[in-house]
Structure formats: structure tokens, C-alpha cells
């Protein structure tokens, strides 16, 4: 009902419009649209009313209509005032005409300026003259700070924003000391860029010039957030202005940015360019020490947005900061990227969902009014403003002219208060310009002659503001120039611009990664459990509350799981997973699992979330057994995510890089759906450690296997992950039994080794008996990186060793048994990378008379592991052996769509492997 009300025409947010319509109807029913006239006619108090008294007229217009016109004028400024605001420092376009903002549009004339009118919901005296009303409206909505918010459906949000904006006329009131601090920030921003331009000639730095107001804004964010209880701020931004932010906000010494890297040239850490670098530090604000972290980011611009949100969520979880007071995400965007890249929509869409909320984010769009070389509004986007995508989640937008830094600081204060009040996103659109080209070697005037003619004439925001303060007797021209000289002197000595907190300060909630560095993947871990513990965990994981009615099929699965724990049935994949998670919770490790339908499992195998079939409310009736393993246990969170791969995987990466002691899993609905998140896999998961030294224990579960389901649901693109493997950067595994999955999941946390784990998970094998495991496989053993052939074979008679990985093993095993083959050994490689050379060599050596080693795979020859694994296999072979391939031929598509083709290829690869 509440949702219906919020979208109804009668919702309270539409009150000004309804007031105007009803007022017009009372004067002249024919003046309103027919459907509204019919609606008003049906009201008892109207249909049964006695004839209205005669209406007094002034200058030929009824007074009631004039009052209605004033209310419409107020409403029009709230909706459309931004279109007539003074926002562009370059003033490239003539001010557009907005008829709805003109009193004459409503029949009001100069004669009405001195007349008193009711002000309605305007933050003003109950009655005011039309002149005063216009003054309030134009100062509030048509100045250098202009807001868009009337699309918000929650009336409380709108009234709050109206009170903040109209209450101060969108005009800041800063004292002299605050204004001097703003000028200091502008001075630092501009002087640094000029210093770099002459000191490091020709080096790319992606200058902030034209948007220097960002630096005092970020200073305002830090001070304001700290004042409101924040202990940490996580910043995300693209490359423009990053060096300026590193120096002037986080205090990274310039020598560390531009100086030579202190690394071994032959090491695994190969580094990244300076304008992709992250940094973290503790700084002292006027309200205490606050931790600042700037996320590393590649040139994929907006992809850092969900990464930051994930990092913030992990920090909030660690602190128990459930409303987002203590850890604040601050995300900086470019105008072209904000409107152009789909990950922005995905990230905003997930921002208020249960599994991904942060209590709102502070977003600042550095609106250069150009994207690379495109600035023509006919080409840049289809919407009016670059921020219009934020209206999708009803985030208010504060547009501000970067040449008015005081207005920008007021926008920061409003944004921080709005987030604290409503725990939602808010956008600041900093309308500025880009003094140089896309980088300092680019010549922008080639394609933007008019824009860059205006930029050349612009004196700079600092000069304008310094002149303004001089006119106010806040600071003299000499004092202003002394600021420049003092800052440049700091740069010359490579002195820190922002001093860190005292060296003895220790953060109570800092993550400790030291224990996970320089650890070999072979580090042992005891992953088996005593039988009594397994049965205890199984009992709790299979118990539902009294009165809870699971679906009959789910009830049958729970009953089977109890039989599995009793040893009456072998354990299937779903049970193995549940026990792995339960045991990690018992060991003190939190677990976070997200993906599309991850609670149930795409293939109906997991059932980590149970649903009461007798529920009476849509938002009740869920039960998660793994949240009830024992009192005060670590959290277990399973999230049925929105239909996004890119933003969700980026979020989980950010989460995992901020929390080494939690099992963080992202599961694809089908493995090939990871294609939509390839940027995250390439730029973060596979290379984040090599570029930035960032460890990450994120686990990816990717359903994979040729089962006749066609090209789009067969392959997790194993070959792409194998191609990314180097320097032990990731782990790629393809377990074939339930016990193997159990040990693999536990190994990921119990070893002090934090590298991304890519698991090719099965589909049809989830409940298949051959892939099930006896209870004894969980009470002993470990994850076997290689599984050898059955001991029943006479090793001396084996002439061929067939190595394989995944489901194809069972196809080969069945065919081998049916054909009575006893001279071919089937060896499973369960860990494809890092390749277990020692274990495989030992297994291969069991068959001294085998003259042939064959790699068999179900993927096409140009896909799967074949091309990435050949050199490892050759290094393990005897000198007398040959290496051959058995599998599908080269193919452009991952799998056949025609059943006949699929089956023919399957038989052919089996024949080739077992011939």
C-alpha cells in the first residue's frame, strides 16, 4: 500500500501541483484538464457544494487565480530553476529561455510585485510580496548553486532539501578564516599543477587545472565527515586530478610519486603509472584522527565506483557500522564517464539493496564539459545533464559553478547532512573545465577551438576568488601571493603538504595483511574434520524452527542431508558446500556469498536460504540455518544479487581486498556470465597484485561444462583465466567430487595464502552419484591437486596416460569401463594453476611403460586449458613419451547448439582419448 501511495498522483509530494489545479478548478472548472475536472467533480465536498460566492477581481484577473499562479511559479522554480542557473564558468552557451520561470507566463504583471501572496510551502514568511518571493526563488534556484530534487517520491526528503536550500537562499555564510582556508586549498591545487608543468616537462599527469575547487571541497568532505562521526573515508576516482589529490589531500610526498621506484626489476611487482596509484594514510582533522584511503584504479574510469563500495562495506562490517556513519564512500566521477558507462547505473542500482548498501555515497562529478575530445551536447549524451542517470535512484543533484568555491563547500555540507539524515546517495555536479587536453601532450584546440579560446581567456578560479576576498578585505593581494610563495617553497623541499597523524597512532579496525605475504601455494592446511564435529554441524545446518514449513522438495533434501551425516548416503555437492561454510564459521571465519540466485543455487543444489511455504508477509518467512550454527558466531551472508555481473563482482573484489579474514565468494549464474565482468577480472583480480601489490582472497564459482545446453551455458571460458595466469597470481581449480570442493573451500581460508581462487564448478554433477563422496573423505585427507587412476590397473601394462580435468573425466571413465579398457590410466588435474608439477610427475611416473601422454578436454582445441598447459605437461614427461591432444576441434563458438553435433563431438573425443 505504501508503495502504491508513493507512486499515486495523490502522493503528498505532488501537493503544490494539486493545490494549483484545485485552485484553478474552483475559479473555472473548464480551465483544468477533463480527467482532473471529473475527479474534482466527484468529491462530495465539491459536487454537493452551494454556489461559490462571487470572486473579487483585480486588473481583470481573479485574485484566487493570481494566488494559484504564484504557487505555480514557486513550483516551477523548484523543478526548472536549474535551467536558468549560473553554472558554466566558460559561459559557452546563451542562457536558455524558460517560460515557466517568468511571472508573465502565469498572467502576473509588474503591478503584482508589491502585492502580498501566501507563500505556501516556500521557506519564507507565510505571506510575502511577489518581489520578495521572486528574490528568494532566484537566489535559491538560479544562482551558482542549483538543485534538482523534485523527482524524489519521498516527500520528507524533498521538504528537507527545500528547507536547507530555501532557508539559506543557497548562499553560504563563511567567516574570514574559513574563506582563507578555501583560498589556501585553491592555491595548493593551482600551484602544484604549475610546478609540475615546469618541473616534469612532457610527463603525463592529467592535470586538475580548471577544477581546482575540488581540493577545498575534499578538505570540506574530510572535516565535515569527521565532525559527523566518520572514522574512515574511502575515495575512488579516475586519473584526472589524482596526483593533486594524492599530494594536497592525502599528503603523499611528491618524491614518492615522481621518484624512481624502489623495486626489484625481475620481481612479480611490476607497478603501474603514477596516475593510477592508490594511497592510504591517517590525518588529523579538527575533530580527531581520520583514515583516508584512495583506491587504486586502472584507466577504466568508473569501474572503481563499485570497488570502493565493496571496500567500504567490508570496513563497515568489521566495525559493526550498520548505518554507515563511521565509514563513508566518496566517489569522484568524470562527466562523460558518469553518463556514458553502464557500471554507473549498475552501481547506483545496487547501492540501496540489502547486500550492497553503504548508507549512501557522496558523489562528486568533475564536469569538464568534455569527454576526451567530445564536447558537443548533440554527441555527449541523450539526457540534458550528465548526472541524469542518478535520477533513476532518486538521488538529489546539486549543480555548482566551480568558480564559486564557497557555493561548492555549501554543497558539500548539504550533501553530508543529507546522507546522515537519509542514508542515501547524493550527487554534486562540479561544473568546471579542463585547461589542457586529455593529457598534457594533447592539443585540444584542434577539435574544440571555441571552448579553448574561452579557456585561454579564463584567469583561473584562484585568481577570481582571491580578487573577491580582496574586495571583501579578507586578504590583501600581497597576502594572497605570499600563500603561493609559501606553498611553492614546501614543494621545493619535497615537504609533505598534509602532515600524517602522529606516528604512534594505531587504528583499532585496520586489516592485517602481513601474515599473508610471501607464502607459497603449497603451504599445508589441515582441512578435514572429526566425525563428531561434522555431524554436529550437519545437524544444525539441517534444522528448521518449529512451525517453519519448507517446500516439500527442500524438506526431502534436508532429510537426505541428515542421512548423509549419518553415513546412510554419500554426500553430494550441496551438502559438502554447506558443511565447508559451517566449519569455517566454527573456526571463526565469516562467510559472504553473492550472486544471482545464490541462496538457493542456480541448479537447486545449495538451499542456504529456506523459505516458509506458509508465510503471510512478503518480507518475512526466510530462515538461514548457517546463521544459527552457534551463539555469537561470525556472520554468514548470502545475497541474491541484482542482475549484474560487472558491478557486483567489482564490489566483491573491493570487499575482499579490505578483509583478508573472511571467505568472500561471487558466483555466476552460468560461468560464461562472467564475460560481463571481464574488466574486473583482467584489471583487478588477475593483475592487482602485480600492479599495486594488492592481495585478494576472492573466490569465483563459475558453472562450467559441456552438457548440450548450447554456446551460452557451457563454458566459463577457462582459457581466458589460464591465459591470465603468471607469477602465481591466481588459482584455477576444477574439483570433480563433493569432498574435493569441501577441502578446497576450507583450504582457501585455513592456509595463510590470499590469492584469487577461480573454481570451475559443475552442473549435472552436483547430484550425480559418481561425484558424491563418502563421509570418510571429509574426516581425512585434503584437497588433492592431482587424482590418480584406480589402483586396480596393472601399472606395468599401461601404455597411455590420459590427463584431463572436470566432467570429461566421468565420460572417459564410463566409456573405459564399458569397453573393458585396462591399459589406459585416467589422471585428473584438479588444480590447473599453479600447475602441480611435482604431484603430476609422481603420478605419471607410476606408469613407466606408457609411451604416450594425452591431454583430453571437452572444450574446443583453441579453448579450455590445452594451449596453456602444454609446456607444463612436457616438463613432466619422460624423454621417450609423446604428447597428444584429444578433444573437440578448433571452434569459434564455445559449444555446439545442435544436439546431434554435440553428441557426435562428445563421442569423437572419447574415441580419440581411448583409442
Amino acid at each position: 500500500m505504501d508503495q502504491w501511495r508513493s507512486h499515486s498522483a495523490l502522493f503528498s509530494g505532488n501537493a503544490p501541483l494539486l493545490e494549483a489545479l484545485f485552485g484553478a478548478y474552483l475559479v473555472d472548472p473548464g480551465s483544468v484538464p477533463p480527467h482532473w475536472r471529473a475527479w474534482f467533480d466527484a468529491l462530495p465536498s465539491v459536487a454537493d457544494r452551494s454556489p461559490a460566492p462571487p470572486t473579487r477581481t483585480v486588473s481583470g484577473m481573479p485574485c484566487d487565480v493570481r494566488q494559484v499562479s504564484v504557487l505555480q511559479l514557486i513550483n516551477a522554480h523548484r523543478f526548472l530553476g536549474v535551467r536558468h542557473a549560473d553554472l558554466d564558468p566558460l559561459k559557452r552557451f546563451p542562457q536558455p529561455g524558460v517560460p515557466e520561470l517568468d511571472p508573465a507566463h502565469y498572467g502576473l504583471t509588474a503591478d503584482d510585485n508589491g502585492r502580498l501572496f501566501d507563500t505556501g510551502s516556500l521557506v519564507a514568511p507565510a505571506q510575502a510580496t511577489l518581489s520578495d518571493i521572486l528574490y528568494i526563488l532566484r537566489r535559491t534556484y538560479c544562482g551558482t548553486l542549483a538543485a534538482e530534487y523534485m523527482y524524489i517520491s519521498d516527500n520528507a526528503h524533498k521538504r528537507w532539501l527545500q528547507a536547507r536550500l530555501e532557508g539559506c537562499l543557497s548562499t553560504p555564510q563563511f567567516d574570514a578564516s574559513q574563506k582563507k582556508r578555501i583560498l589556501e586549498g585553491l592555491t595548493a591545487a593551482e600551484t602544484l599543477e604549475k610546478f609540475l608543468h615546469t618541473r616534469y616537462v612532457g610527463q603525463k599527469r592529467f592535470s586538475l587545472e580548471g577544477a581546482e575547487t575540488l581540493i577545498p571541497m575534499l578538505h570540506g568532505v574530510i572535516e565535515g565527515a569527521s565532525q559527523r562521526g566518520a572514522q574512515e573515508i574511502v575515495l575512488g576516482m579516475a586519473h584526472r586530478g589524482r596526483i593533486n589529490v594524492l599530494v594536497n589531500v592525502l599528503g603523499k610526498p611528491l618524491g614518492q610519486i615522481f621518484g624512481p621506484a624502489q623495486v626489484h626489476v625481475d620481481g612479480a611487482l611490476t607497478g603501474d603509472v603514477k596516475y593510477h596509484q592508490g594511497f592510504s594514510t591517517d590525518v588529523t582533522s579538527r575533530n580527531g584522527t581520520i583514515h583516508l584511503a584512495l583506491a587504486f584504479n586502472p584507466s577504466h574510469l568508473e569501474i572503481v565506483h563499485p570497488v570502493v563500495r565493496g571496500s567500504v562495506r567490508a570496513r563497515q562490517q568489521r566495525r559493526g557500522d550498520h548505518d554507515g556513519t563511521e565509514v563513508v564512500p566518496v566517489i569522484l566521477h568524470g562527466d562523460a564517464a558518469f553518463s556514458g558507462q553502464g557500471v554507473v547505473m549498475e552501481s547506483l542500482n545496487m547501492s540501496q539493496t540489502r547486500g550492497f548498501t553503504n548508507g549512501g555515497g557522496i558523489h562528486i562529478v568533475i564536469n569538464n564539459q568534455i569527454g576526451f575530445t567530445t564536447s558537443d551536447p548533440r554527441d555527449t549524451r541523450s539526457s540534458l545533464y550528465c548526472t541524469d542517470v542518478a535520477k533513476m535512484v532518486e538521488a538529489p543533484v546539486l549543480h555548482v559553478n566551480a568558480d564559486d568555491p564557497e557555493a561548492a563547500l555549501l554543497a558539500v555540507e548539504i550533501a553530508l547532512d543529507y546522507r546522515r539524515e537519509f542514508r542515501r546517495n547524493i550527487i554534486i555536479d562540479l561544473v568546471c573545465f579542463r585547461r589542457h587536453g586529455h593529457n598534457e601532450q594533447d592539443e585540444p584546440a584542434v577539435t574544440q577551438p571555441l571552448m579553448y579560446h574561452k579557456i585561454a581567456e579564463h584567469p583561473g578560479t584562484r585568481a577570481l576568488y582571491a580578487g573577491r576576498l580582496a574586495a571583501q578585505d579578507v586578504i590583501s593581494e600581497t597576502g594572497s601571493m605570499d600563500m603561493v610563495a609559501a606553498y611553492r617553497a614546501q614543494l621545493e623541499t619535497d615537504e609533505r603538504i598534509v602532515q600524517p597523524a602522529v606516528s604512534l597512532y594505531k587504528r583499532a579496525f585496520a586489516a592485517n595483511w602481513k601474515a599473508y605475504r610471501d607464502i607459497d601455494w603449497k603451504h599445508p592446511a589441515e582441512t578435514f574434520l572429526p566425525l563428531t564435529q561434522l555431524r554436529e554441524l550437519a545437524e544444525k545446518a539441517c534444522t528448521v524452527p518449529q512451525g517453519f514449513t519448507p517446500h516439500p522438495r527442500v524438506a526431502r533434501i534436508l532429510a537426505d542431508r541428515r542421512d548423509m551425516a549419518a553415513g546412510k548416503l554419500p554426500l553430494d555437492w550441496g551438502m559438502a558446500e554447506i558443511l565447508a561454510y559451517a566449519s569455517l564459521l566454527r573456526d571463526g571465519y565469516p562467510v559472504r556469498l553473492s550472486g544471482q540466485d545464490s541462496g538457493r543455487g542456480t541448479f537447486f543444489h545449495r538451499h542456504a536460504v529456506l523459505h516458509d511455504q506458509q508465510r503471510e508477509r512478503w518480507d518475512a518467512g526466510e530462515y538461514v540455518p548457517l546463521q544459527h550454527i552457534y551463539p555469537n558466531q561470525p556472520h554468514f551472508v548470502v545475497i541474491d544479487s541484482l542482475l549484474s555481473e560487472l558491478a557486483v563482482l567489482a564490489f566483491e573484489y573491493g570487499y575482499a581486498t579490505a578483509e583478508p579474514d573472511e571467505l568472500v565468494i561471487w558466483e555466476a549464474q552460468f560461468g560464461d556470465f562472467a564475460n560481463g565482468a571481464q574488466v574486473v577480472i583482467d584489471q583487478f583480480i588477475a593483475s592487482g597484485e602485480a600492479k599495486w601489490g594488492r592481495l585478494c582472497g576472492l573466490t569465483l564459482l563459475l558453472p562450467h561444462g559441456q552438457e548440450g545446453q548450447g554456446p551460452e551455458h557451457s563454458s566459463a571460458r577457462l582459457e581466458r583465466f589460464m591465459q591470465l595466469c603468471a607469477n602465481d597470481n591466481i588459482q584455477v581449480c576444477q574439483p570433480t567430487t563433493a569432498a574435493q570442493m569441501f577441502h578446497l573451500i576450507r583450504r582457501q581460508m585455513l592456509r595463510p595464502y590470499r590469492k584469487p581462487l577461480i573454481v570451475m564448478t559443475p552442473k549435472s554433477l552436483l547430484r550425480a552419484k559418481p561425484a558424491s563422496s563418502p563421509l570418510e573423505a571429509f574426516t581425512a585427507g585434503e584437497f588433492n591437486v592431482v587424482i590418480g587412476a584406480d589402483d586396480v590397473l596393472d601399472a606395468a601394462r599401461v601404455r597411455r596416460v590420459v590427463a584431463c580435468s572436470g566432467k570429461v573425466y566421468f565420460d572417459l571413465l564410463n566409456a573405459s569401463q564399458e569397453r573393458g579398457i585396462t591399459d589406459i590410466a585416467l589422471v585428473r588435474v584438479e588444480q590447473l594453476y599453479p600447475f602441480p608439477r611435482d604431484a603430476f610427475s609422481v603420478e605419471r611416473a607410476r606408469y613407466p611403460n606408457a609411451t604416450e601422454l594425452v591431454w583430453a578436454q571437452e572444450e574446443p582445441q583453441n579453448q579450455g586449458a590445452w594451449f596453456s598447459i602444454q609446456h607444463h605437461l612436457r616438463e613432466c614427461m619422460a624423454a621417450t613419451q609423446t604428447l597428444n591432444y584429444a578433444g573437440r576441434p578448433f571452434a569459434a563458438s564455445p559449444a555446439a547448439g545442435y544436439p546431434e553435433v554435440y553428441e557426435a563431438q562428445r563421442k569423437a573425443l572419447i574415441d580419440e582419448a581411448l583409442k
Side-chain angles (χ1 to χ4, degrees):
M1 180 61 74
D2 290 338
Q3 286 184 322
W4 176 85
R5 285 180 183 138
S6 68
H7 292 83
S8 167
L10 302 183
F11 179 59
S12 57
N14 296 322
L17 175 63
L18 291 174
E19 289 172 8
L21 285 169
F22 190 55
Y25 168 83
L26 290 174
V27 176
D28 178 12
S31 66
V32 299
H35 63 283
W36 280 112
R37 184 167 66 250
W39 199 88
F40 291 139
D41 284 343
L43 292 174
S45 59
V46 175
D48 302 334
R49 74 185 187 281
S50 56
T55 304
R56 185 167 58 90
T57 59
V58 180
S59 302
M61 177 183 269
C63 286
D64 287 348
V65 173
R66 288 177 182 277
Q67 177 62 62
V68 169
S69 296
V70 171
L71 295 176
Q72 289 177 316
L73 185 64
I74 293 171
N75 213 39
H77 277 78
R78 289 168 171 168
F79 273 101
L80 303 173
V82 63
R83 299 192 188 178
H84 213 264
D86 178 15
L87 297 176
D88 184 4
L90 301 178
K91 295 179 171 50
R92 288 196 301 147
F93 302 105
Q95 197 76 285
V98 185
E100 293 87 348
L101 303 181
D102 186 352
H105 181 74
Y106 306 95
L108 298 169
T109 67
D111 293 337
D112 297 307
N113 287 339
R115 293 194 176 95
L116 287 173
F117 292 94
D118 291 339
T119 56
S121 59
L122 184 69
V123 181
Q127 287 192 326
T129 64
L130 179 59
S131 293
D132 289 344
I133 291 172
L134 285 171
Y135 176 81
I136 293 171
L137 292 173
R138 288 168 180 169
R139 284 291 300 273
T140 302
Y141 295 107
C142 301
T144 52
L145 171 59
E148 290 186 281
Y149 63 90
M150 289 299 287
Y151 44 81
I152 298 175
S153 50
D154 192 317
N155 199 45
H157 292 212
K158 284 193 286 195
R159 294 300 188 207
W160 188 94
L161 287 162
Q162 287 168 11
R164 283 302 302 267
L165 295 163
E166 295 169 7
C168 70
L169 307 183
S170 296
T171 304
Q173 298 293 329
F174 294 124
D175 60 31
S177 63
Q178 291 172 311
K179 292 178 179 181
K180 286 180 182 178
R181 281 198 296 271
I182 293 173
L183 182 60
E184 288 172 353
L186 292 172
T187 300
E190 181 182 273
T191 308
L192 175 65
E193 295 295 353
K194 290 182 176 180
F195 176 83
L196 296 177
H197 199 64
T198 55
R199 177 63 61 90
Y200 301 100
V201 178
Q203 287 204 34
K204 286 184 183 180
R205 67 179 192 278
F206 294 96
S207 164
L208 189 63
E209 289 172 88
E212 294 92 341
T213 298
L214 176 69
I215 299 303
M217 285 179 73
L218 290 178
H219 291 159
V221 168
I222 294 166
E223 289 292 344
S226 178
Q227 183 181 6
R228 291 161 178 82
Q231 302 297 313
E232 298 185 60
I233 293 176
V234 183
L235 284 159
M237 67 182 299
H239 39 276
R240 184 157 316 285
R242 179 178 284 257
I243 292 174
N244 211 307
V245 170
L246 282 168
V247 174
N248 286 320
V249 177
L250 283 89
K252 187 172 185 178
L254 206 55
Q256 289 185 21
I257 299 174
F258 285 89
Q262 303 298 316
V263 296
H264 298 291
V265 294
D266 57 348
L269 181 63
T270 54
D272 200 351
V273 293
K274 51 188 170 292
Y275 40 83
H276 291 169
Q277 294 294 329
F279 189 67
S280 64
T281 187
D282 299 301
V283 300
T284 303
S285 74
R286 289 191 295 275
N287 299 282
T289 301
I290 186 168
H291 181 72
L292 306 179
L294 175 63
F296 295 86
N297 190 33
S299 284
H300 285 266
L301 304 176
E302 292 295 334
I303 192 61
V304 77
H305 179 173
V307 173
V308 165
R309 287 191 176 276
S311 177
V312 168
R313 179 64 179 249
R315 296 162 192 259
Q316 291 172 338
Q317 187 79 49
R318 192 159 58 234
R319 288 175 169 272
D321 179 23
H322 302 300
D323 64 359
T325 295
E326 296 183 18
V327 189
V328 179
V330 178
I331 301 124
L332 278 53
H333 312 266
D335 53 315
F338 194 73
S339 62
Q341 296 199 345
V343 70
V344 175
M345 182 279 293
E346 293 186 28
S347 301
L348 289 172
N349 193 32
M350 68 195 284
S351 65
Q352 297 301 137
T353 61
R354 289 183 295 172
F356 303 100
T357 185
N358 298 126
I362 304 294
H363 300 262
I364 301 176
V365 178
I366 304 172
N367 187 349
N368 298 306
Q369 308 183 70
I370 187 170
F372 192 33
T373 63
T374 304
S375 65
D376 192 321
R378 296 170 296 182
D379 301 320
T380 52
R381 57 185 174 269
S382 297
S383 61
L384 184 60
Y385 298 108
C386 65
T387 53
D388 282 347
V389 65
K391 296 175 182 177
M392 176 191 73
V393 292
E394 299 189 352
V397 179
L398 304 175
H399 303 273
V400 63
N401 188 324
D403 276 353
D404 188 350
E406 291 183 22
L409 267 292
L410 175 59
V412 166
E413 290 184 0
I414 294 171
L416 289 168
D417 283 340
Y418 180 85
R419 178 186 183 271
R420 179 177 62 178
E421 184 72 19
F422 299 110
R423 304 299 173 188
R424 298 184 72 88
N425 297 292
I426 185 166
I427 318 296
I428 301 175
D429 176 24
L430 182 66
V431 185
C432 52
F433 59 88
R434 188 186 72 192
R435 187 166 290 280
H436 302 290
H438 178 65
N439 60 63
E440 286 67 36
Q441 287 80 49
D442 188 30
E443 178 46 76
V446 171
T447 53
Q448 316 294 324
L450 179 60
M451 172 182 270
Y452 276 85
H453 177 71
K454 288 183 175 292
I455 289 174
E457 294 176 341
H458 193 286
T461 302
R462 184 200 171 277
L464 291 174
Y465 189 61
R468 178 173 158 187
L469 297 192
Q472 296 172 2
D473 291 328
V474 173
I475 191 170
S476 66
E477 182 178 348
T478 301
S480 170
M481 297 312 298
D482 286 345
M483 279 187 184
V484 175
Y487 180 85
R488 188 173 181 95
Q490 283 184 285
L491 293 177
E492 293 288 357
T493 59
D494 196 26
E495 184 181 335
R496 279 182 181 266
I497 302 303
V498 180
Q499 294 302 315
V502 292
S503 58
L504 296 179
Y505 173 74
K506 299 293 183 183
R507 290 191 298 123
F509 293 95
N512 182 10
W513 290 89
K514 291 182 180 179
Y516 306 107
R517 297 196 176 277
D518 302 319
I519 303 296
D520 190 86
W521 72 266
K522 298 175 185 176
H523 194 287
E526 188 175 285
T527 56
F528 62 85
L529 289 176
L531 182 60
T532 54
Q533 283 188 13
L534 270 178
R535 286 180 167 160
E536 178 185 344
L537 293 171
E539 178 62 27
K540 293 179 178 179
C542 298
T543 299
V544 298
Q546 187 150 5
F548 188 96
T549 307
H551 189 278
R553 289 182 62 188
V554 175
R556 178 68 259 171
I557 290 171
L558 294 176
D560 286 346
R561 288 179 177 177
R562 285 190 283 269
D563 286 345
M564 293 174 190
K568 298 176 183 178
L569 292 173
L571 282 72
D572 63 13
W573 203 276
M575 182 57 164
E577 267 195 65
I578 294 297
L579 287 175
Y581 302 145
S583 63
L584 288 175
L585 293 169
R586 184 191 62 82
D587 293 336
Y589 294 100
V591 177
R592 176 184 171 90
L593 167 63
S594 76
Q596 295 155 19
D597 203 15
S598 288
R600 185 197 70 165
T602 298
F603 307 103
F604 209 77
H605 81 287
R606 182 174 294 122
H607 300 288
V609 181
L610 308 179
H611 298 269
D612 190 345
Q613 299 302 299
Q614 304 300 321
R615 63 167 40 154
E616 296 179 355
R617 291 177 47 190
W618 65 271
D619 58 349
E622 287 185 353
Y623 182 73
V624 182
L626 289 174
Q627 293 176 350
H628 304 276
I629 298 300
Y630 66 90
N632 302 316
Q633 68 174 58
H635 64 263
F636 175 81
V637 179
V638 58
I639 301 152
D640 290 339
S641 73
L642 67 164
L643 201 65
S644 159
E645 287 80 36
L646 181 59
V648 173
L649 181 56
F651 186 102
E652 301 304 344
Y653 171 83
Y655 192 108
T657 56
E659 184 48 83
D661 297 321
E662 180 168 350
L663 177 64
V664 183
I665 301 174
W666 178 75
E667 180 180 47
Q669 188 181 128
F670 284 91
D672 56 298
F673 287 15
N675 286 350
Q678 199 64 45
V679 169
V680 184
I681 295 166
D682 292 348
Q683 306 298 331
F684 292 93
I685 293 173
S687 58
E689 184 183 2
K691 293 189 294 187
W692 312 314
R694 300 293 287 171
L695 294 179
C696 172
L698 178 63
T699 296
L700 275 63
L701 303 184
L702 307 177
H704 173 81
Q706 298 269 352
E707 297 177 356
Q709 295 189 29
E712 269 58 74
H713 293 113
S714 297
S715 174
R717 291 293 188 175
L718 172 61
E719 63 279 358
R720 293 181 181 171
F721 291 97
M722 295 300 294
Q723 187 183 35
L724 293 170
C725 293
N727 305 120
D728 291 352
N729 60 332
I730 60 176
Q731 309 163 83
V732 182
C733 298
Q734 192 163 200
T736 53
T737 69
Q740 280 284 89
M741 186 62 173
F742 171 84
H743 291 294
L744 178 60
I745 291 174
R746 285 182 50 76
R747 186 186 77 160
Q748 180 67 356
M749 295 308 296
L750 297 180
R751 283 185 309 175
Y753 184 79
R754 293 295 179 266
K755 299 292 181 80
L757 170 62
I758 317 300
V759 185
M760 300 287 133
T761 57
K763 293 171 287 185
S764 62
L765 295 181
L766 292 173
R767 282 177 292 275
K769 287 185 178 180
S772 299
S773 302
L775 199 56
E776 295 75 23
F778 298 80
T779 59
E782 60 183 358
F783 176 70
N784 297 304
V785 293
V786 174
I787 300 178
D790 291 338
D791 292 334
V792 297
L793 288 178
D794 183 351
R797 295 186 62 248
V798 170
R799 59 182 176 81
R800 171 186 283 195
V801 175
V802 176
C804 60
S805 185
K807 185 184 73 68
V808 70
Y809 164 77
F810 294 102
D811 291 337
L812 296 173
L813 178 65
N814 291 338
S816 177
Q817 291 174 345
E818 289 172 359
R819 301 176 188 185
I821 295 174
T822 59
D823 57 356
I824 295 178
L826 302 178
V827 177
R828 283 173 277 177
V829 180
E830 303 275 291
Q831 178 172 294
L832 293 163
Y833 190 83
F835 187 77
R837 189 175 304 168
D838 293 343
F840 187 82
S841 295
V842 168
E843 191 60 36
R844 195 274 315 158
R846 287 178 57 197
Y847 311 104
N849 298 322
T851 59
E852 190 178 10
L853 177 62
V854 174
W855 175 258
Q857 66 178 39
E858 57 184 0
E859 302 89 356
Q861 189 171 357
N862 56 314
Q863 298 169 35
W866 170 236
F867 282 135
S868 298
I869 209 171
Q870 290 181 44
H871 63 291
H872 294 301
L873 296 174
R874 287 196 169 94
E875 289 172 353
C876 298
M877 289 166 48
T880 57
Q881 288 181 322
T882 59
L883 176 64
N884 293 306
Y885 167 82
R888 287 176 168 83
F890 286 83
S893 174
Y898 297 124
E900 299 82 2
V901 176
Y902 162 78
E903 188 58 32
Q905 291 178 343
R906 192 183 73 87
K907 290 180 178 179
L909 83 85
I910 292 172
D911 291 343
E912 180 66 24
L914 301 180
K915 70 180 181 181

